[in-house]
Amino acid sequence: RVSVLTPSIMDLPTGLNTAELQEQALEKAEKIKRKVLQAKNRFTQGEKFQTWCQHVFDQVDTDKSGGLDCVEVYIAVLLLYVKIGSMCKGAIPPSRGRVNDLFHDFCGGDGKMSFDQFKNFAQVLCSQIATRLAVQLALNLLV
């Protein structure tokens, strides 16, 4: 029997053995992960996220060509992360190398990324943030 419960699992029933506590903690972690992923989908499909994407795209597309090159995309990602950071503390932008790698997967052969491509690109980056947060929440329940 477990005599001392950590604060992160205080809401689990008492009187259970360690294996039962771990199983219930894992079930709670899965529920939290599903909720976080649902919230992520709502966030990346939501009006605020779409507006942020449009705003940073327009802000960085200074020549108004309707496309961003690799350097401009990285600047747009940094600006987007500043906005995301106001809601989600600890959101760390990807490295320039990571953005460069993803850029080539998303843009056409002309080396420019359209707004729709950028929006999809940003949704992928944000899904990675949500996954990290879900894992953090799950690990906090188990500690």
Side-chain angles (χ1 to χ4, degrees), residues 56-128:
V56 299
F57 185 91
D58 292 342
Q59 192 175 3
V60 173
D61 184 22
T62 56
D63 63 359
K64 304 303 176 205
S65 65
L68 303 180
D69 64 26
C70 196
V71 172
E72 291 172 321
V73 167
Y74 185 62
I75 293 167
V77 166
L78 293 177
L79 290 172
L80 186 60
Y81 268 77
V82 168
K83 293 179 182 297
I84 291 169
S86 69
M87 289 181 55
C88 173
K89 302 298 181 213
I92 300 169
S95 69
R96 187 167 184 171
R98 175 84 172 125
V99 170
N100 289 348
D101 291 344
L102 285 173
F103 174 83
H104 297 293
D105 293 339
F106 277 82
C107 74
D110 64 352
K112 293 282 189 172
M113 188 179 285
S114 70
F115 172 70
D116 288 333
Q117 290 167 324
F118 176 73
K119 185 173 64 173
N120 292 335
F121 182 85
Q123 288 172 331
V124 168
L125 293 177
C126 287
S127 70
Q128 293 169 350

Side-chain angles (χ1 to χ4, degrees), residues 31-43:
K31 284 181 184 178
I32 290 171
K33 183 178 178 181
R34 281 192 299 275
K35 287 182 181 183
V36 168
L37 293 176
Q38 289 169 352
K40 178 239 352 173
N41 289 335
R42 282 192 305 268
F43 173 67

